[in-house]
Each structure stands twice: as C-alpha cells, then as structure tokens.
Amino acid sequence: MPEPVQEKSTKTTCPYCGVGCGVIARVSNDGTVSVKGDPEHPANFGRLCSKGSALAETLDLEGRLLYPEIGGRRAGWEEALDLVAARFSQSIAEHGPDSVAFYVSGQLLTEDYYIANKLMKGFIGSGNIDTNSRLCMSSSVAGHRRAFGSDTVPGTYQDLELADLVVLTGSNLAWCHPVLYQRLAAAKASRPEMKVVVIDPRRTMTSDIADMHLAIAPDGDTALFNGLLTHLVTSGAIDQNYISAHTHGFAEAFAAASALELPALTKATGLTEAELRDFYRLFETTEKVVTCYSQGVNQSSAGTDKVNAILNCHLATGRIGRTGMGPFSLTGQPNAMGGREVGGLANMLAAHMDLEKPRDRDLVQRFWNAPGLATKPGLKAVDMFRAVAQGRIKALWIMATNPVVSMPDADAVETAIKACPFVVVSDILRETDTARHAHVLLPSLGWGEKDGTVTNSERRISRQRAFLKAPQEARADWWQLAEVGRRMGFGQALGHTSPAEVFAEHAALSGFENDGRRDFDISAHAAIDHDSYDALSPFQWPQPRGTAPQEKRFFAEGGFYHPDGRASFIPVEAPKANTGSDGFPFTLNTGRVRDHWHTMTRTGKSARLSSHLAEPFVEIHPRDARAIGAAHADLVAIESPCGIVVVRALVTERQAEGNLFVPMHWNDQFAAKARIDALVAPVTDPFSGQPASKNVAVRAMRFAAATYGFAVSARKPEGLDAPYWAIAKAEGGWRMELAFAGDDADWIGWSRRVFSIPHEIEPIGYTDRTSGELRLAFFDGDKLLAALFLSPQPVAVARNWAVTQLGVSHANLGKRFAVAAGRPGADKPDPGATVCSCFSVGANQITAAIRDGCHSVEAIGEKLSAGTNCGSCRAEIRGIINACLAAAAE
Ligand SMILES: Nc1nc2c(c(=O)[nH]1)N[C@H]1C(S)=C(S)[C@@H](COP(=O)(O)OP(=O)(O)OC[C@H]3O[C@@H](n4cnc5c(=O)[nH]c(N)nc54)[C@H](O)[C@@H]3O)O[C@H]1N2
Ligand SMILES: Nc1nc2c(c(=O)[nH]1)N[C@H]1C(S)=C(S)[C@@H](COP(=O)(O)OP(=O)(O)OC[C@H]3O[C@@H](n4cnc5c(=O)[nH]c(N)nc54)[C@H](O)[C@@H]3O)O[C@H]1N2
Ligand code: SF4
Ligand SMILES: [Mo]
C-alpha cells in the first residue's frame, strides 16, 4: 500500500465511469483506505456502485510499475526522459513531425491531456495525437458538431429524473452508469407514471425497469429514429415554431427519413409494427422525453448517422435544453468530456476549437505563442495504428490505455506495436498486454496519488485529489510530457510546475476571444491560484469570466454554434440490414459487465469484483447453442477473419437468435485466448472514425476438450499452458477455469509446477472411476495451497465454496478429504455464484431466502444485506425472485 499523504478524509472523484461520482477517501493511521460516496456531490449524492465501493481494494502496489525501465532494465528518470526526447526529436528531424504520435486516453486528467495536446499540436506541430475516446465517444462528438456546430451535451442528470419518458438506446445503464441508473430507478419508483423504454438487441439488466424493451436488430437505430421522425411529422407532433426559428435542413432530413415505409422499417429494425407504433405513439404524446445513448449507438459503422437520427427527433419537437427534455450522450470514461474540452482528438483543437478552421488555428497559435502549430488533422486511432504497421510512425507514446486489448484487429495492432522502432508506454502497471512491447516504460501516478480535474457526462468539472504519496518513482502523466517537451526545446511553453497552473491556462484559453462564440468557456477560473484549485467545488460549464457557478442547459431558445446560430437537421439513411457474410453467420456484439472495468488492470485486483463473473463468456441463444452442439458451460470457439477466442457458453434467452455477446474485458493476463478485439474488423464510421465494435460477422463452434478443470490456488498460477484457462483473483488466492486436450497428463507434476507447490508436500487425491473425475488437494499443515478438480465434462464443483477453502483452517483430516472430494459440508453450504459483491452474497443464498418467504428485493436485503449498499445487484436479485416465483407457480 502506498503511504498516506495525511490522516484525514479527502474529497475526490471516482476514476471509473462518466457519471463522475464524488468519493470521500479516508486513510486511517495504519494506512488502510476506506471510501464512501460524497453526500454533497451533485452527481451521486452519496451513492456509489460496486466498482466505486471497491476502490480501496485496488490500491495495493502489487504489479505496479514503480520506476522507469529502458529495454527491460531499471533506469533513472533523467536517462529515460532524455532518451524519449532524443528519439522523438530524431524522428522529427529525419522524417518530419508526422512520423511521431501520441495515443492517449479519456482516463487522463484534463491537465495531463492539455499538456499532451499542447506539446503535439502546438510544438511538435503534428495532429498525430488521438485517444481511446475515438473508440468511445467520437460518433457523438461528430453528431453533435454536425447538428449543433459544437460538441455540446445540452442537458443535465436531473433531466432523467424530471422526464416523463426516458429512452435508453444502446446503453446498459444498470451496469455501465449504475448510479445514474439508480437515480432513474428511484425517480420512476416515486413517479410510477414515468415510462422507460430500452432499445437493445439483448435483454440486459437495464430492461429490468423498462416498460418496453425493443430488441432491435443490430444497427437498426437509424431506421427506428427515421421512422419516429416520420411519425412525429404525420401525427403533427413537431414544433414548427422551433424548426423555423432555430434550425435549417428540416425538409431534406424529413425526405430522407420518410424513405422507408412501415414494412421496410420492420425489416430494418427487426421490430413488429405494433412495437414500432407503441413506441412512436409514446414519444409523440410525451412532451418531456430524454433520449440517452451510448455505445450501442456510437460504436457502429454508421454511428454518427445514428446520433443525428436521434438529434433530428429532438430538434423537430423542440424538446431540447428544457427541463426533463433532450438528447443525452452518456460518456463512458471518467474524463471523456475533459479530453474533448482540451481537443485530445486528432481532428480537434484546444477548448472545443477546430483544427481545420484557420481562425481557430490562428487564435490558439497566438495564445500558445506556437508558430509551428499543426495545420491539419492527424491520424485517427485505427489509421494511426495502420501507419505504425506501415512504418510511417517511428516513435509512439501510449499513455493510460491498453490498445493491444481494446483496439479493433487487436492482433494486428500488437504486431504493429512490436515492429515500431520506438514505443513508450506510461502506465501504472508493469505487465499489460501493451506494456510488454514498450522500449521505455514510464511509471505513472494512479488514482489517489494524482491531482487534477475531470468532466462528467453532464459537463460537471470535479477535482481528483491525491490522498496517498507517490509510490517510489511514479510521476504524474502531465509532468512526464512536460519534461520530455522541455528536453525537446519547448521549455517556455511547458514550464508549468503544478496541475493548478495547467488548469488556469486551460481556463484562460477557453475564454480567449470567445465572446459567446464557443460553448466551452470556463474563464471564471482563468486566474485560479493553488489554494482555490485545491478547494475547487464541482461546477458545470460554461462559467465565463465574472460569472458564478450555474446549472445551465443549452439550446432551449436556439443559440447554436454554427455561424448562423441555427441547428442543422442532417438527412440520414438507414444502412442496409446486415445479412451476415459467407461462412460467418453470427453477429458478434461486445461490451461490458457490471463489475469489471475495461482491460481489468484495476478491477481484476479485487476478489469481490472478480467473483461476479469470473471468466470470459459468450451469451448465446438456446437454439443457436443447440445448432452448434454446445450445452450450457461448454466452451465455444468464436472466429472471424481477423482472429479467434475461446470462451464459456452462457446459454440465455436474453440474447437474440443469431447474435452473440462477448465482454471486452478479458485479455492475455487473465485468459488464454479471450481478447475479443482480435476478432473485430477495423471497420470505422466515415465521419467519426469510430470502430464498429458491436456488429462483427463471426462463426462459432463447440470447443472440444478431453478434460475440463477448475482450481483454486493460494499463489498466482505460473506458466499456464492449457488451451483454455482463465484466472480470477479470489479471497486468499486465485481461482481458475481450465480445459486440456488430453486426459492422461502427470497432473501432480503439472500442479506442482503451476501452483508452485514445494516438493515435500504430497497431495491428497480422489478418483472416481465411473465418472472419470480426478481431484487433487495440496495442504501445508492445515492450510490449503491448491486444489484441482478435473472431469471429462465441465466441472460441477461449487466454485465459491471451493474458493473459501483457501481461507479456512483444515485441522480436521476428514475436512481435508472433503475438499479433495469437492463436497461442501452441510455446515458450510455452497453460496453459489456471487450476485452481491459488496456483501459477497451468492445466488444459492438468495434462492434459499426466497424459499423462506423473502419475496421482494427489500426483504432479501433485510435478511442477507444483499443489495443494500451500492445497489448494483438489485436488478439481478429481482430477476432471481421472479424466476423462483415463476418456477414455483408452474
Ligand atoms: N461496469 C463497467 N461500466 C463501465 C465501463 C466498464 O468497462 N465497466 N466502461 C465505461 C465506458 S468507457 C463506456 S464507453 C461505457 C459504455 O456503456 P454502454 O454503452 O452502456 O455499454 P456497452 O456494454 O458497451 O454497450 C451498451 C449496449 O449496446 C447494445 N447494443 C449493441 N448493438 C446495438 C445496436 O445496434 N443498437 C442498440 N440500440 N444497442 C446495441 C449492447 O447489447 C449493450 O447492451 O461504460 C462505462 N461504464
Ligand atoms: N470490442 C470492443 N472494444 C472496445 C470497446 C467495446 O465496447 N468493445 N469499448 C471501447 C471503449 S468505449 C473504450 S473507452 C476502450 C477502453 O480501453 P482501454 O483504454 O485500452 O482500457 P483500460 O483498461 O481502461 O486501459 C487503461 C490503461 O491505463 C492504465 N492506467 C490507469 N490509470 C492510469 C493513470 O493514471 N495514468 C496512466 N498513464 N495509466 C493509467 C491502466 O493500467 C490500463 O493499462 O475500449 C474500447 N474497445
Ligand atoms: S457510477 Fe460507479 S463507476 Fe461510475 S462514477 Fe459512480 S461509483 Fe464510479
Ligand atoms: Mo468508453
């Protein structure tokens, strides 16, 4: 654990999702950290989800990168920074500024991002800085800019509570923005007349509170919202005054929208006429509508058009910027918005200005005193890694992102990085799928150690504050960038000595020659000093010079940022329905699970978070599973022309037929072959350059194994060589799923090697000749070191029970044999798969409580505490209750 800075509570902001919850971190005298929600923060008013609640469990120094490394050897900062500066300068001198690139992240703080962008665009003079926000928010950015003339989110979180209809499209809010979901669920509970519509090919946990779930065909959104626009016109629900006073292009947009008649609409959306009519009628007759959208909209080859199809409907009804109304782009990362504000995307310039506009370039050039400012946009992420592969980029700096896992065509991205002459990676961990290919590794400060600001989905800027000392030699990302910039000769422009100074400059630029022409203006903070920065309370932008903090919505009275002040309707056409391609009949959809964050570098450290879903899986419809001969818990290989993964089958009717869903999280550190982006083709949206990560043509087949295994081990397993393995952190050790091609290995020898068992320890064994099952357990005195359960079928041992055996004393020999036999005793029943990660309550415990008469989420909460802390599992508990009661009624 890093050392505490001071023994007191610190107000800071959660480093995970774009809800941007306020957190109070407390460091006790013995150095232990605890976190709770900040009751005063306007994003969460004290609530936290499962990931936020478990933050303290991710702060240990295990696996941290703690000093710079060059070519795998420890180096000093001076040497590492000199080398990075020299290699970047050399490449620029020999091949020009476009031969270098930065690939950064929406998880950087605004101050880090500002310096990265200033160094690359202002002083290196290239646009080649792009960010993982390209994979995340760029279609929303492009859609906003086409419609509004600026990248503006018009509304606030409160609008979701005040609306009478909330449409959630391409958003699994319950798992991905859990506190906002809780706010919505609470509003709906207090006003049951409020309606929620969820539009998603899968029936996700978010559908739990929905009055209507529309299982849309992949990429059917443009057709759906075009049909809606047509319906709004024909039913007379449009706001003609708003359209004529504040917009242009309505006729063209309507003409494009009405191209599809009802029969074609049902085909394109995969919905019935009745479903379409019900949804359209609800939208037509409800004034207060908020339409929230996220990656089911953005991550598409037509993502920008989807965004504009949605914006068109809100503009046509004038339902924008008023209380309880408007389109709402849900941002993913903690600082997706801050990155956009500093212009971190390759085609943007600082403070929401445009790299392609000479006037904007001139303004920024003068403000920065940067005669060499880039004159054209740089390469967007997919093109950037293509340029790396082609040898056009010779020096690459990757910061706070893990592209070998998260970029489409991930195997090709890995090959490109490996072949790049000079790669710098700044990360908090030493071993990631990307870091392993770096020539220079730079240790960054992590959450709790670094200082700066982030902007959440509702334009609220909050401080992240340090409450732990920098561990060993880790340093802030902005400092690393500025130090390299100084060594490259740009010292005058990068002389900042603190994040407060960087923030002040960023605020000043936002107001520079602005006069209301640009939406992003926080110049009220242009002269902020260190003390005020330390004390800065969360505030929403805009906050121009001389104004007090305000809660502002945009565009109720027009005032758009196109030169004529009007919004543009964008005519959009529905893409042709995807009919699959030869030999690749399934549509692969990818996304997130409740308790993991992206590539698991932080959530993978928490046993509690890792127990919710402990291995990579594919959601598959029962009929599809039958068709490929796979039963529940079998392994499935999924393949596209780009790559292959092997994951567990999770057979469920929540999944639509013909579609598969695999989470994006698992990577080479946690599984043998589960980097799903290895399958995703690098197909991008033509306007935003955002990859289509949710609609990939694949084939699937049962993965035959001769032997399946499950194991628990006190030590992290080493050298796993099985064709399938997936490891997860457990209380007191690790748990893992395994599959082998053969059935006659030297399992004792294998276990000794993989679980690091001292040679003097003999196993307790158990073989069942009829079932072919074999169990081995290794004890050191009364302590279980490892247990391996093997079977010709997927292993049926009670997982969570087995995991708890690592932590208990096995003084009684009989109990040791029970472990080897894989049989929970009556005194310690199997809790079942974890549902509530805050209180470690499993599905079997919940089922038992239901049998005992607890028939509501509240009753379960009273009996087991499940669902009473962060509330992230309440939808799942309700699902178990409904399933049990339905089964009992049959
Ligand atoms: N637990 C957790 N929360 C997170 C994150 C995390 O890693 N873990 N990451 C954060 C980040 S960076 C982001 S960007 C957000 C993402 O938040 P979300 O966008 O809510 O999450 P996803 O699971 O990527 O995708 C959302 C849904 O889109 C659906 N979908 C797929 N194709 C289509 C389609 O064609 N149309 C429609 N309408 N829906 C479709 C998927 O089935 C999926 O349920 O989450 C943030 N929050
Ligand atoms: N198939 C598929 N692919 C996807 C998506 C999908 O839905 N489907 N979603 C896309 C989206 S929306 C996103 S946002 C991306 C996310 O993908 P990534 O950005 O690649 O995922 P992370 O795991 O968040 O990577 C963050 C890295 O930064 C490190 N880190 C943490 N804190 C710090 C810090 O303070 N400083 C530094 N320097 N490093 C730090 C972490 O250890 C980790 O290695 O994935 C995208 N890829
Ligand atoms: S909803 Fe959860 S992950 Fe998102 S900011 Fe709040 S506590 Fe963090
Ligand atoms: Mo994201």
Side-chain angles (χ1 to χ4, degrees):
M1 186 72 63
E3 279 181 67
V5 174
Q6 55 205 353
E7 284 176 24
K8 64 167 193 176
S9 293
T10 306
K11 283 196 172 201
T12 181
T13 312
C14 176
Y16 295 123
C17 85
V19 178
C21 295
V23 171
I24 300 179
R26 196 178 176 81
V27 189
S28 65
N29 290 337
D30 66 0
T32 35
V33 177
S34 58
V35 299
K36 60 175 188 181
D38 177 355
E40 288 170 3
H41 197 288
N44 57 320
F45 299 105
R47 296 178 176 97
L48 290 180
C49 76
S50 49
K51 295 183 297 303
S53 304
L55 269 167
E57 290 160 42
T58 63
L59 299 175
D60 64 82
L61 294 182
E62 195 187 322
R64 280 289 295 269
L65 176 64
L66 292 169
Y67 43 78
E69 287 186 24
I70 297 173
R73 72 167 166 86
R74 181 171 182 162
W77 270 109
E78 287 298 318
E79 187 190 358
L81 294 167
D82 285 347
L83 178 66
V84 176
R87 291 294 300 260
F88 269 73
S89 296
Q90 184 194 353
S91 184
I92 294 163
E94 288 172 11
H95 307 281
D98 290 335
S99 69
V100 301
F102 294 166
Y103 183 61
V104 301
S105 162
Q107 291 169 73
L108 289 176
L109 302 174
T110 298
E111 294 73 6
D112 304 321
Y113 236 136
Y114 181 87
I115 295 291
N117 193 52
K118 184 175 184 183
L119 171 57
M120 181 55 83
K121 292 198 184 118
F123 293 87
I124 289 177
S126 168
N128 282 348
I129 169 169
D130 210 40
T131 131
N132 63 2
S133 283
R134 183 68 61 195
L135 322 177
C136 179
M137 300 315 306
S138 60
S139 295
S140 279
V141 175
H144 286 154
R145 293 175 75 211
R146 287 205 299 185
F148 306 150
S150 58
D151 176 21
T152 318
V153 174
T156 68
Y157 291 161
Q158 224 191 11
D159 291 324
L160 275 76
E161 295 165 325
L162 299 174
D164 294 322
L165 167 62
V166 174
V167 179
L168 297 164
T169 184
S171 154
N172 187 3
L173 201 74
W175 280 11
C176 295
H177 299 89
V179 165
L180 198 51
Y181 171 82
Q182 285 171 37
R183 284 179 62 171
L184 176 65
K188 187 165 160 53
S190 70
R191 277 194 306 122
E193 67 278 14
M194 175 197 227
K195 296 278 186 281
V196 174
V197 176
V198 172
I199 304 167
D200 192 311
R202 302 187 298 147
R203 195 177 164 80
T204 60
M205 280 301 155
T206 306
S207 323
D208 185 61
I209 54 160
D211 298 279
M212 201 186 278
H213 166 232
L214 302 177
I216 194 164
D219 284 336
D221 307 74
T222 305
L224 179 70
F225 284 90
N226 268 354
L228 175 61
L229 184 65
T230 312
H231 175 89
L232 294 169
V233 174
T234 48
S235 63
I238 56 171
D239 182 341
Q240 203 58 63
N241 290 339
Y242 190 90
I243 294 173
S244 41
H246 304 305
T247 71
H248 48 62
F250 176 72
E252 293 82 350
F254 173 58
S258 51
L260 287 189
E261 307 275 342
L262 203 54
L265 261 187
T266 57
K267 188 155 180 276
T269 57
L271 302 171
T272 64
E273 286 189 19
E275 284 175 317
L276 289 173
R277 235 180 263 125
D278 288 350
F279 170 55
Y280 290 170
R281 180 108 184 101
L282 191 59
F283 198 108
E284 168 209 331
T285 55
T286 317
E287 172 85 353
K288 291 193 170 183
V289 187
V290 174
T291 306
C292 300
Y293 53 95
S294 190
Q295 299 314 344
V297 167
N298 292 335
Q299 287 172 342
S300 159
S301 58
T304 308
D305 280 356
K306 287 191 190 188
V307 170
N308 286 108
I310 295 168
L311 301 184
N312 284 348
C313 294
H314 279 272
L315 289 170
T317 47
R319 294 174 188 164
I320 184 164
R322 289 189 282 149
T323 317
M325 292 178 233
F328 201 103
S329 149
L330 297 159
T331 55
Q333 299 180 86
N335 202 26
M337 290 282 264
R340 285 142 74 173
E341 287 148 25
V342 302
L345 291 162
N347 51 324
M348 301 288 291
L349 197 48
H352 275 194
M353 281 179 275
D354 190 337
L355 192 47
E356 284 170 282
K357 288 197 181 129
R359 181 192 165 134
D360 287 357
R361 281 204 307 272
D362 170 66
L363 190 155
V364 177
Q365 190 159 42
R366 282 184 289 115
F367 183 87
W368 278 347
N369 193 16
L373 190 95
T375 51
K376 60 177 195 317
L379 295 170
K380 299 181 176 129
V382 170
D383 293 332
M384 182 183 277
F385 283 97
R386 240 177 230 144
V388 174
Q390 291 161 353
R392 286 187 285 133
I393 289 190
K394 300 175 195 310
L396 173 67
W397 191 344
I398 299 168
M399 191 172 248
T401 178
N402 196 355
V404 171
V405 184
S406 56
M407 279 288 293
D409 207 359
D411 287 349
V413 166
E414 181 169 37
T415 308
I417 292 175
K418 271 200 234 170
C420 185
F422 188 65
V423 177
V424 184
V425 171
S426 296
D427 206 289
I428 55 171
L429 289 199
R430 188 175 181 281
E431 282 279 324
T432 74
D433 292 0
T434 302
R436 56 160 77 141
H437 304 304
H439 299 98
V440 177
L441 274 175
L442 299 178
S444 297
L445 295 180
W447 183 78
E449 301 154 5
K450 58 186 188 175
D451 260 306
T453 56
V454 290
T455 311
N456 74 2
S457 295
E458 60 164 355
R459 291 178 271 110
R460 194 176 299 280
I461 296 176
S462 300
R463 281 290 319 272
Q464 266 195 26
R465 294 185 175 87
F467 51 89
L468 300 166
K469 277 191 188 147
Q472 297 194 27
E473 295 190 23
R475 294 289 177 271
D477 291 303
W478 72 266
W479 178 89
Q480 300 174 18
L481 289 153
E483 284 294 327
V484 167
R486 282 171 216 152
R487 285 167 170 76
M488 293 175 73
F490 311 124
Q492 267 190 328
L494 299 166
H496 311 82
T497 59
S498 69
E501 286 173 27
V502 182
F503 182 79
E505 182 179 314
H506 165 59
L509 173 55
S510 74
F512 184 61
E513 298 177 11
N514 187 332
D515 306 321
R517 272 198 300 268
R518 306 193 302 268
D519 63 343
F520 181 71
D521 185 344
I522 54 164
S523 51
H525 302 278
I528 197 164
D529 59 20
H530 285 90
D531 289 346
S532 312
Y533 183 75
D534 279 343
L536 190 67
S537 297
F539 71 98
Q540 258 180 321
W541 66 256
Q543 195 189 350
R545 201 180 312 274
T547 61
Q550 53 174 343
E551 307 247 318
K552 184 182 155 94
R553 295 180 175 84
F554 283 86
F555 310 140
E557 307 293 333
F560 294 94
Y561 292 93
H562 285 302
D564 60 1
R566 286 170 177 264
S568 298
F569 280 96
I570 306 294
V572 288
E573 274 174 33
K576 292 216 170 25
N578 186 348
T579 47
S581 57
D582 271 359
F584 298 96
F586 288 103
T587 302
L588 172 71
N589 171 10
T590 63
R592 292 156 171 79
V593 302
R594 190 188 79 191
D595 286 356
H596 274 307
W597 178 260
H598 296 162
T599 72
M600 299 165 67
T601 62
R602 286 173 288 167
T603 48
K605 288 182 154 200
S606 159
R608 281 198 294 149
L609 295 180
S610 300
S611 67
H612 179 239
L613 289 163
E615 67 177 327
F617 61 87
V618 54
E619 283 181 7
I620 180 168
H621 189 277
R623 272 193 286 276
D624 289 333
R626 257 199 308 280
I628 64 164
H632 189 70
D634 269 349
L635 293 170
V636 175
I638 308 175
E639 196 177 1
S640 84
C642 299
I644 185 164
V645 295
V646 181
V647 294
R648 187 76 59 183
L650 202 160
V651 182
T652 167
E653 284 182 350
R654 286 178 164 265
Q655 179 63 275
E657 257 185 287
N659 289 5
L660 305 174
F661 176 85
V662 178
M664 64 167 292
H665 308 291
W666 275 269
N667 53 68
D668 293 356
Q669 311 298 316
F670 289 90
K673 223 171 183 29
R675 270 188 305 122
I676 197 61
D677 269 296
L679 274 63
V680 177
V683 173
T684 57
D685 176 275
F687 304 100
S688 67
Q690 179 155 354
S693 330
K694 298 228 174 326
N695 188 340
V696 183
V698 296
R699 62 174 161 236
M701 56 232 101
R702 180 170 177 271
F703 180 83
T707 306
Y708 294 84
F710 172 75
V712 294
S713 167
R715 313 228 1 210
K716 188 172 180 182
E718 299 274 344
L720 278 168
D721 49 3
Y724 176 80
W725 58 263
I727 61 170
K729 194 91 181 49
E731 210 57 66
W734 294 82
R735 58 187 283 181
M736 70 219 73
E737 302 286 343
L738 305 156
F740 303 89
D743 56 6
D744 56 353
D746 164 17
W747 298 116
I748 296 177
W750 187 88
S751 303
R752 284 192 188 287
R753 176 172 63 78
V754 170
F755 305 135
S756 316
I757 307 288
H759 67 272
E760 68 276 11
I761 290 181
E762 289 299 328
I764 296 179
Y766 172 99
T767 328
D768 182 330
R769 291 203 188 284
T770 44
S771 66
E773 288 178 359
L774 172 79
R775 278 95 197 268
L776 291 173
F778 295 86
F779 288 92
D780 184 4
D782 65 348
K783 189 177 163 2
L784 178 65
L785 294 183
L788 174 67
F789 306 91
L790 298 170
S791 164
Q793 286 86 38
V795 176
V797 73
R799 300 314 198 249
N800 277 5
W801 165 82
V803 166
T804 55
Q805 302 311 303
L806 285 172
V808 298
S809 156
H810 299 274
N812 175 324
L813 190 64
K815 290 233 170 96
R816 282 185 225 163
F817 275 102
V819 172
R823 278 196 213 104
D827 56 331
K828 278 235 179 298
D830 169 32
T834 303
V835 175
C836 168
S837 39
C838 293
F839 294 106
S840 298
V841 181
N844 294 352
Q845 290 167 287
I846 294 171
T847 315
I850 298 169
R851 255 187 262 120
D852 291 348
C854 300
H855 289 179
S856 67
V857 178
E858 288 66 33
I860 297 279
E862 247 168 62
K863 189 172 166 92
L864 301 171
S865 298
T868 57
N869 180 42
C870 77
S872 299
C873 62
R874 291 170 67 87
E876 274 160 281
I877 296 175
R878 196 168 301 126
I880 297 173
I881 296 173
N882 292 346
C884 287
L885 297 184
E890 266 169 17

